[in-house]
Amino acid sequence: METAAPTWPRLLRRHWQRLLLVYGLALGVLAGPAYTMYVHYDFSHSPDTRSYLSVARGEFRGVSITRRYRVLVPAAAAAMAWPLEKVYARIWPQRAASEWPLRLAFYVVNTLVLGAAGLLWYRSSRCYGATREAAALAMALVLSSRWAVYIAGLPMVDSLYLLVFALGYYAAVSRSRMALAACILLGPLAKESFVFLVPWLLIFARGAGRWPVQVAWLAVAGALTFGIRHWIDAQAGTPASASVNNALNHFENVVYSLQRLFSVKGAGELFSVFGFATLALLLVPVRSWARPLGWAGVALGAVVGAHMLLSGELARMAYLAAPAFTVALALVITKVQRSLPSRLPS
C-alpha cells in the first residue's frame, strides 16, 4: 500500500519541529555552564557587568559612554526581572531586594538570544550543504566555547551582537530579507562597531537586499538609534559630542592589541575561543572548507579583526567569527561523516 506524499502543512510542521529541536539543543548546551557562571562570578572583577546592571535600572549617570547606549538587552532583562522579583519575594525574601533577580534575568535573556544565534549558525551550515547531524554538532561545539558561557551567564550585551552577526551571515547565504532587515535594525543598537559590518552587508548580502533597500533600512536604524542616544544623553547630562570622541579614542587600543596578538599569551587566548574544535579543521584539506566560504569568509575575518584591534578584547571579539567558523566545522564533519563506512562491522 502506497503512502501519501506529505502535504505542505505537514512539511512545514516538520521543518519547525526540527528548528525547535536544534534550538533546544543550543539552549541545553548553554544553560548549565552559563548558570554556574551566573551563580559564582565575582562581579567586582568586571566593570562591564556593573555598567549594564546600572543601565538595566535606568541609571545612566556615571556609566561609561562606551556601554550606556546598548540598552536593548538591559531593557529586556529589566522587564523580565519584575516577575522574577515577585518569585524571589516568596522563595528567598532576603534576595528579592538585591541584584539577584536582575542578574537571573540577564542570564535568561542572554541564553535565549545566544541560542537563537546558534540556530542561525546551524541554518547557515545547512545552506552550504552540511548534513543535519554535522550542522548540529558544529553548532554545539561552537556554543561550548568558554566565551559563550561568559556571554550567556553574565550581565553582558554581547549575545545580541552575536545574533546580529548571525543574522547578517544567514541573510547573505540564504538571501533572507527578514534576516537582513533584523540585522540592520538591531545592529546599531547592539554596538556602535556595527559600522564595520555595514560594508560587508552591502557587498555580500545583496542577494537579500540591493543597496537602495539596505540604505533605506540603515536610514531607519540610524534615526531610531539617534533618537535613543539623544534621550540617554539627556538622562545622563552629557553632550552628544562625547560619544564621538569616545569612539575615536578606541583607535588608541590598536598598538596594545597588536602587542598582545603577537605574544604567547595572545596566541593562547585566540586558541581558547573555539578550543580543540579549531584542530578539527585540519582533518581535511583546507580548500574543502575554505573554498566554499570564499571571499565572504575572508572579508568577515577582516571585520572581526577590526573589532579585535579596536576593542583590546582579542578573544571575546574573535568569537564574532562564529558564523563562518561553524560553517567550516560543519563542512569538515560532513566530509568525515561521508567518508565513514555506512555500516560498521558487528
Side-chain angles (χ1 to χ4, degrees), residues 3 30 44 49 73 79 105 107-108 113 123 131 141-142 158 172 179 185 221-222 244 246 254 271 317 325 342:
T3 58
L30 284 171
S44 64
T49 56
V73 172
Y107 157 71
V108 173
V113 173
R123 291 294 301 148
T131 63
L141 288 171
V142 174
D158 294 65
L185 289 175
V244 178
N246 178 70
V254 172
F271 181 78
M317 291 299 104
F325 184 87
S342 58

Side-chain angles (χ1 to χ4, degrees), residues 285-298:
V286 173
R287 65 177 181 275
S288 63
W289 54 263
R291 186 174 295 170
L293 292 180
W295 287 110
V298 174

Side-chain angles (χ1 to χ4, degrees), residues 23 26-27 30 72-73 76-77 80 105-121 143 151-152 156-164 166-167 186 190:
Y23 186 54
L27 296 182
L30 284 171
L72 292 186
V73 172
M80 182 170 287
F106 266 103
Y107 157 71
V108 173
V109 170
N110 281 329
T111 299
L112 293 174
V113 173
L114 189 53
L119 177 60
L120 288 170
W121 302 342
L143 285 176
I151 291 165
M156 303 285 287
V157 299
D158 294 65
S159 63
L160 182 60
Y161 203 41
L162 282 160
L163 178 62
V164 166
L167 284 165
L186 292 173

Side-chain angles (χ1 to χ4, degrees), residues 25-307:
L25 172 63
L27 296 182
V29 171
L30 284 171
Y35 181 82
T36 303
M37 178 68 70
Y38 144 73
V39 171
H40 296 294
Y41 187 74
D42 185 353
F43 281 74
S44 64
H45 293 165
S46 174
D48 288 28
T49 56
R50 297 195 298 273
S51 294
Y52 294 127
L53 286 169
S54 296
V55 171
R57 292 191 293 265
E59 301 168 359
F60 298 101
R61 291 183 181 271
V63 175
S64 167
I65 297 177
T66 303
R67 307 181 191 101
R68 68 171 58 153
Y69 302 111
R70 303 165 184 172
V71 295
L72 292 186
V73 172
M80 182 170 287
W82 184 81
L84 291 176
E85 188 176 329
K86 304 303 178 184
V87 175
Y88 266 82
R90 291 180 175 273
I91 301 175
W92 296 298
Q94 69 278 13
R95 288 188 174 184
S98 67
E99 286 185 342
W100 281 99
L102 187 55
R103 287 169 55 181
L104 177 60
F106 266 103
Y107 157 71
V108 173
V109 170
N110 281 329
T111 299
L112 293 174
V113 173
L114 189 53
L119 177 60
L120 288 170
W121 302 342
Y122 166 86
R123 291 294 301 148
S124 297
S125 299
R126 293 286 292 144
C127 289
Y128 276 89
T131 63
R132 293 192 184 96
E133 299 84 359
L137 179 56
M139 178 202 71
L141 288 171
V142 174
L143 285 176
S144 67
S145 167
R146 72 184 183 100
W147 288 109
V149 174
Y150 184 89
I151 291 165
L154 298 180
M156 303 285 287
V157 299
D158 294 65
S159 63
L160 182 60
Y161 203 41
L162 282 160
L163 178 62
V164 166
F165 267 67
L167 284 165
Y169 196 82
Y170 179 68
V173 301
S174 70
R175 300 188 176 186
S176 169
R177 296 179 181 179
M178 186 178 298
L180 178 63
C183 172
I184 294 176
L185 289 175
L186 292 173
L189 293 170
K191 277 192 177 182
E192 301 78 6
S193 50
F194 174 73
V195 65
F196 294 109
L197 186 63
V198 170
W200 189 92
L201 293 172
L202 290 171
I203 296 172
F204 297 104
R206 284 177 295 173
R210 294 288 182 178
W211 290 0
V213 175
Q214 293 198 40
V215 170
W217 281 117
L218 286 168
V220 174
L224 180 62
T225 304
F226 176 80
I228 292 176
R229 291 171 75 95
H230 178 73
W231 178 80
I232 292 173
D233 286 335
Q235 299 298 309
T238 55
S241 59
S243 61
V244 178
N245 295 331
N246 178 70
L248 295 176
N249 289 337
H250 278 70
F251 286 93
E252 298 176 358
N253 292 331
V254 172
V255 174
Y256 167 74
S257 298
L258 287 172
Q259 290 174 344
R260 287 184 61 191
L261 182 62
F262 295 104
S263 67
V264 176
K265 184 178 180 180
E269 283 188 33
L270 291 182
F271 181 78
S272 74
V273 177
F274 300 112
F276 287 98
T278 310
L279 301 179
L281 300 183
L282 304 178
L283 294 176
V284 299
V286 173
R287 65 177 181 275
S288 63
W289 54 263
R291 186 174 295 170
L293 292 180
W295 287 110
V298 174
L300 186 69
V303 173
V304 173
H307 282 75

